[in-house]
Amino acid sequence: MNHAVTRTSRPSNDEWSGGEPSLLVFDVNETLIDFESMNPLFEEIFGDRRVMREWLGHLFMYSMTVTLSGLYEGFFTLGQGLLKMVGDVHGVEVTDADVEEIRRAMRTMPAHPDVEDGLTRLQDAGFRMVTLTNSPSDPRGPTPLEHAGLARFFERQFTVETVRAYKPAPQCYHLVARELGVPPSSCRMIAAHVWDTIGAQSAGFAAGLITRPGNAPLPVASLPRPDLVAPDLPAMADLLVGRRRS
């Protein structure tokens, strides 16, 4: 489901200097909202909060797997199934109540503490901002972004369920450019995962990487690398605003 928010003004493309992309496309999971908030649930189920990272790695890997296999299943449903798979790996019985707790938690994670400040700086600077997430919409309730109190910063929320393929499939990024009527070169992906920035750059976007804990640039010369790298969103905002003013 795409949600529009009211904006007082925004610069036209010719107001941006040096050919800088005028549209910021934000990943949501881990970039804006905090999966670490689920650590206590995993500690309760598995006796080890580090299992959350194992499960999340499987969730990213298997989302890409189903896309490469020509299949599709919703992100939250996939996550619930993978919880039981990880339980089998660890010899832990995962109950239906555990699965329900994870389902609820995936929809109600808080924002990272730095995010509101960073988005406010970008909004005040006149950046046009949208999101592109693997998480599906939910006609029965708020999106994770809305629950985290961040929806007001974005004019649209895009989800990969529209194209029934997960990032980094190129059709996910092309969806945003097509729907907004802009060329890919006008878009910059802001994400905490290198696989997302590689996908976006391969689709013609620029990219900025936020190196949240557990994430870092990939130093392989033959692969596209983001030209902006920052440890958090306020630092990324400073880089973007500086580029605009230069």
Side-chain angles (χ1 to χ4, degrees):
M1 181 182 298
N2 297 329
H3 300 262
V5 297
T6 301
R7 295 181 60 88
T8 56
S9 65
R10 66 170 183 259
S12 61
N13 287 347
D14 58 10
E15 290 181 78
W16 298 83
S17 63
E20 269 292 294
S22 56
L23 176 67
L24 302 181
V25 184
F26 281 84
D27 173 51
V28 174
N29 296 321
E30 287 215 281
T31 302
L32 300 179
I33 61 177
D34 185 9
F35 265 78
E36 296 288 337
S37 65
M38 291 201 290
N39 282 345
L41 283 175
F42 280 82
E43 186 164 25
E44 181 179 337
I45 296 169
F46 293 97
D48 186 347
R49 63 177 50 208
R50 293 174 298 180
V51 177
M52 191 281 291
R53 282 285 154 193
E54 179 184 345
W55 166 81
L56 186 59
H58 282 304
L59 184 53
F60 291 142
M61 181 178 71
Y62 279 96
S63 66
M64 297 175 195
T65 299
V66 297
T67 293
L68 288 169
S69 302
L71 305 171
Y72 183 77
E73 181 51 77
F75 197 63
F76 295 154
T77 302
L78 189 59
Q80 293 164 55
L82 286 166
L83 184 69
K84 290 197 170 186
M85 186 187 83
V86 172
D88 288 342
V89 169
H90 286 268
V92 172
E93 181 182 0
V94 175
T95 68
D96 290 343
D98 294 331
V99 172
E100 176 58 24
E101 278 294 298
I102 294 296
R103 186 201 68 79
R104 180 198 59 78
M106 290 180 76
R107 294 185 179 276
T108 58
M109 291 177 286
H112 285 290
D114 64 285
V115 165
E116 186 168 358
D117 179 27
L119 292 177
T120 298
R121 295 187 197 186
L122 293 169
Q123 187 177 63
D124 290 347
F127 280 90
R128 188 180 181 188
M129 298 186 288
V130 302
T131 60
L132 173 63
T133 180
N134 280 336
S135 299
S137 58
D138 183 0
R140 301 169 298 176
T143 65
L145 196 71
E146 290 166 339
H147 190 277
L150 301 177
R152 68 187 187 278
F153 290 104
F154 302 100
E155 65 177 82
R156 294 279 293 273
Q157 295 180 48
F158 292 97
T159 170
V160 302
E161 68 179 347
T162 304
V163 294
R164 295 179 66 81
Y166 285 103
K167 295 186 289 178
Q171 57 264 45
C172 300
Y173 309 100
H174 294 159
L175 166 71
V176 176
R178 183 178 69 248
E179 286 290 312
L180 295 176
V182 299
S185 60
S186 292
C187 303
R188 179 184 290 277
M189 190 77 204
I190 307 294
H193 304 114
V194 172
W195 52 260
D196 206 352
T197 61
I198 288 175
Q201 289 178 275
S202 298
F205 286 29
L209 177 68
I210 298 177
T211 55
R212 298 208 180 277
N215 296 282
L218 177 62
V220 176
S222 61
L223 298 177
R225 286 179 280 183
D227 61 313
L228 296 179
V229 179
D232 55 32
L233 192 49
M236 179 63 70
D238 288 345
L239 292 175
L240 289 163
V241 172
R243 281 272 184 111
R244 182 189 173 191
R245 290 174 177 166
S246 64

